[in-house]
Amino acid sequence: MINLVLFGPPGAGKGTQAIYLAQTFNLVHLSTGDLLRQEIAAKTDLGRIADEIISKGELVPDSIVISMIEAKLKSPKTTVGFIFDGFPRTVNQAHALDQLLRKHHSKVSVMLCLEVDKKELIDRLLKRGLTSGRCDDANEATIENRINVYNEKTAPLIHYYESQGKYHPIHGIGEIEEIAARLKETVENL
Ligand code: UDP
Ligand code: MG
C-alpha cells in the first residue's frame, strides 16, 4: 500500500492537490475536514460540536478525528492506499494513525508538506471565504488563529516525520498543475 500524508498549513492547497494525487495514483482521499463538514451539514450531534470548534479555528479533539479515520480504514473497500488530507494534526494523532495502519499491516509511506508563506495563505483563505460559505474562512481573526494553531500544534509533526526520513517539503506556490507535477514526481521517486 502507499499511504500519503498531505501536510501543510490552512490554505496550502491540500484539498485541491489531494484530488489530483488520488486520481494519479488511484488512492482513496480521506479528508477529516470534509468529513466534519458533512456532519455539520447533516446536523448530527457530532456536527454541532464540530461546528462550534471549527468556527473558532480550533482543533476538534483527537479522539473524534481518530475514530473517524478508524471507521474509514475498517470499511471493507479495497484500495492501493490512502491520501490523508488534514490529518494527522497533532503528534498524538500521528501516533494513532501509525497504530491503526499497523493493524492493517501497513504504514505511512511519505509526508508531503506544501510550503506556502503566511501572507499568501491569508490572501488565499480570504478569497476562498468569498465563495466557500465556510465560517472559518470568513474573517481574518479566525484565519489568523488557524495559522497559529497550525504552528503550535501541527507543525511539530514535521520533526516527527523527518526523524523517520518521511518528510518531503514541496514548494506550494505556482500554478495548480505545476504543484501537482512536483507532488507526482516526489511520489514516483519514492
Ligand atoms: N479540523 C480538525 N481536525 C481535523 C480536520 C479539521 O480540527 O482533523 C477542523 C479545524 O478546526 C480546521 C477545520 O476543521 O481549521 C477545517 O479543516 P480543513 O482541513 O478542511 O481546512 P484547511 O486546513 O484545508 O483549510
Ligand atoms: Mg482542506
Side-chain angles (χ1 to χ4, degrees):
M1 268 174 103
I2 13 173
N3 297 302
L4 312 178
V5 169
L6 192 54
F7 193 83
K14 302 182 294 290
T16 304
Q17 295 297 337
I19 295 168
Y20 279 81
L21 280 167
Q23 277 173 359
T24 307
F25 296 103
N26 219 347
L27 304 169
V28 171
H29 175 201
L30 289 182
S31 160
T32 41
D34 289 349
L35 294 172
L36 290 167
R37 281 185 288 275
Q38 282 166 22
E39 297 285 334
I40 294 171
K43 299 192 188 318
T44 62
D45 288 343
L46 172 55
R48 266 184 284 275
I49 296 168
D51 194 18
E52 198 176 315
I53 298 168
I54 290 174
S55 53
K56 288 189 253 175
E58 297 293 326
L59 292 186
V60 173
D62 288 345
S63 57
I64 292 179
V65 286
I66 292 166
S67 302
M68 291 192 323
I69 289 289
E70 184 173 19
K72 289 289 173 187
L73 293 181
K74 255 192 213 149
S75 77
K77 212 174 184 182
T78 52
T79 173
V80 289
F82 294 92
I83 300 178
F84 298 94
D85 157 14
F87 178 91
R89 267 180 147 89
T90 63
V91 173
N92 199 20
Q93 290 175 19
H95 281 291
L97 178 60
D98 285 347
Q99 246 170 21
L100 288 171
L101 288 172
R102 212 173 297 128
K103 268 195 218 161
H104 293 269
H105 310 288
S106 193
K107 60 183 168 47
V108 170
S109 315
V110 66
M111 186 262 235
L112 302 161
C113 181
L114 290 169
E115 295 197 316
V116 176
D117 62 82
K118 185 170 172 181
K119 189 185 169 299
E120 171 80 11
L121 295 174
I122 294 174
D123 285 352
R124 287 185 187 179
L125 291 170
L126 284 172
K127 196 168 152 216
R128 186 169 79 183
L130 298 175
T131 54
S132 69
R134 278 176 54 169
C135 57
D136 58 342
D137 290 341
N139 82 66
E140 199 158 345
T142 304
I143 291 173
E144 198 58 61
N145 191 45
R146 284 160 68 195
I147 295 173
N148 291 341
V149 167
Y150 169 83
N151 287 328
E152 190 186 319
K153 298 188 171 150
T154 308
L157 284 174
I158 291 172
H159 305 289
Y160 181 82
Y161 288 110
E162 194 173 26
S163 69
Q164 300 175 26
K166 293 179 180 175
Y167 164 65
H168 287 258
I170 311 279
H171 183 48
I173 296 182
E175 296 297 322
I176 290 175
E177 292 76 19
E178 219 179 333
I179 299 163
R182 290 176 201 148
L183 288 162
K184 181 171 177 262
E185 197 191 337
T186 306
V187 175
E188 280 170 346
N189 289 334
L190 286 179

